[in-house]
Amino acid sequence: MEYYWNLTISILPFLWQGFKETFVVSLVAILAGSLIGALVGIVRSYRVPLLSQLFALYVHCLRGTPFLVQLYVFYFVLPNTGLEWLNWSSQTAAFVALSLYTSSYVAEIVRGAIDAVPKGQWEAATSVGMNQMQRLWHIILPQALKLTIAPMSSVYVIIIKSTAILSVVGIAELTRQGEVTILRYPRDILFIYGLIAVVYFIYCYPVLRFSKWAENRINNTPRLSLD
């Protein structure tokens, strides 16, 4: 028991460095991906000609291909096009790839939530003189928000766990740091991977708990309705 305690103490600094990298990359991807995805989802819900079809292709391509392949495209393929501004570092490629991957799922969640708001709400808002932006901001989005919380939290947890793939392009995230540590302690592979899993759980569990709290809080808020 004392051996594993000392082993844990000795490798925690490496895992901490990896966790910080995982945290930064996942946070940027979640924030940027949520913003892009929300805009794409809103546009798709309005069925804007041509633009809606282009965004649908964007979403289906990202959701229909493995994230690892997308990462390879951004890091290995795009720099070979000869365009200087596409010659990204591994960290930039990781940020862009993971953000766009996040946005594809957020876009579908937002579009589905907006479509789920009863059509009578749109008609009632129009009847009291609201313009298109006022209807969306004051009536539709507040009602759609509570429908996005549970699926959005699941997507965020998936994104956090997807950062483990970033080691293939040289990002020293949590899993990569664990693999480097295993080279020093090859007899303790199972234990070290167990510690990595615990760190991921400690990171992901508060996200799920917060989403549950937010969902309950919004559900207990009086519903704004113009029916």
Side-chain angles (χ1 to χ4, degrees):
M1 191 66 181
E2 183 179 354
Y3 169 77
Y4 287 111
W5 172 255
N6 293 332
L7 176 62
T8 302
I9 296 300
S10 65
I11 67 178
L12 273 181
F14 299 98
L15 297 185
W16 173 246
Q17 290 297 323
F19 171 76
K20 289 193 293 185
E21 189 72 27
T22 294
F23 178 78
V24 171
V25 174
S26 61
L27 183 62
V28 170
I30 287 172
L31 293 177
S34 296
L35 179 60
I36 297 170
L39 293 175
V40 172
I42 290 172
V43 171
R44 290 199 66 201
S45 70
Y46 272 91
R47 274 71 172 179
V48 180
L50 185 60
L51 193 58
S52 183
Q53 282 76 16
L54 289 175
F55 281 155
L57 179 62
Y58 164 85
V59 169
H60 294 321
C61 284
L62 289 174
R63 293 185 67 189
T65 56
F67 173 64
L68 181 59
V69 173
Q70 298 171 25
L71 184 60
Y72 280 152
V73 168
F74 281 103
Y75 186 63
F76 294 112
V77 178
L78 293 185
N80 290 326
T81 59
L83 298 176
E84 183 64 28
W85 64 278
L86 291 177
N87 192 18
W88 293 329
S89 65
S90 59
Q91 193 167 47
T92 301
F95 285 146
V96 173
L98 199 57
S99 297
L100 295 181
Y101 184 66
T102 303
S103 72
S104 65
Y105 285 91
V106 172
E108 284 299 275
I109 292 171
V110 171
R111 183 190 63 81
I114 292 176
D115 288 347
V117 175
K119 297 301 180 183
Q121 294 292 298
W122 294 86
E123 296 166 358
T126 302
S127 68
V128 297
M130 289 186 175
N131 59 36
Q132 199 168 23
M133 186 57 66
Q134 289 173 329
R135 293 198 302 267
L136 180 67
W137 184 256
H138 295 291
I139 305 300
I140 305 305
L141 287 183
Q143 296 182 64
L145 177 62
K146 66 180 181 180
L147 301 176
T148 68
I149 294 176
M152 205 82 83
S153 63
S154 298
V155 168
Y156 292 160
V157 169
I158 291 172
I159 297 306
I160 292 170
K161 293 186 291 185
S162 294
T163 57
I165 300 177
L166 301 179
S167 60
V168 300
V169 295
I171 302 296
E173 41 70 55
L174 179 58
T175 302
R176 177 61 178 170
Q177 288 286 10
E179 291 171 346
V180 171
T181 304
I182 287 173
L183 296 177
R184 301 178 58 190
Y185 304 96
R187 295 188 305 168
D188 301 298
I189 294 177
L190 183 61
F191 179 76
I192 293 173
Y193 274 124
L195 283 180
I196 294 172
V198 169
V199 175
Y200 275 115
F201 175 79
I202 292 173
Y203 183 16
C204 293
Y205 184 71
V207 176
L208 296 174
R209 292 300 302 173
F210 175 78
S211 71
K212 185 64 176 177
W213 172 84
E215 189 175 12
N216 292 335
R217 185 71 179 269
I218 290 178
N219 286 336
N220 290 331
T221 302
R223 180 171 176 263
L224 178 59
S225 176
L226 293 178
D227 285 341

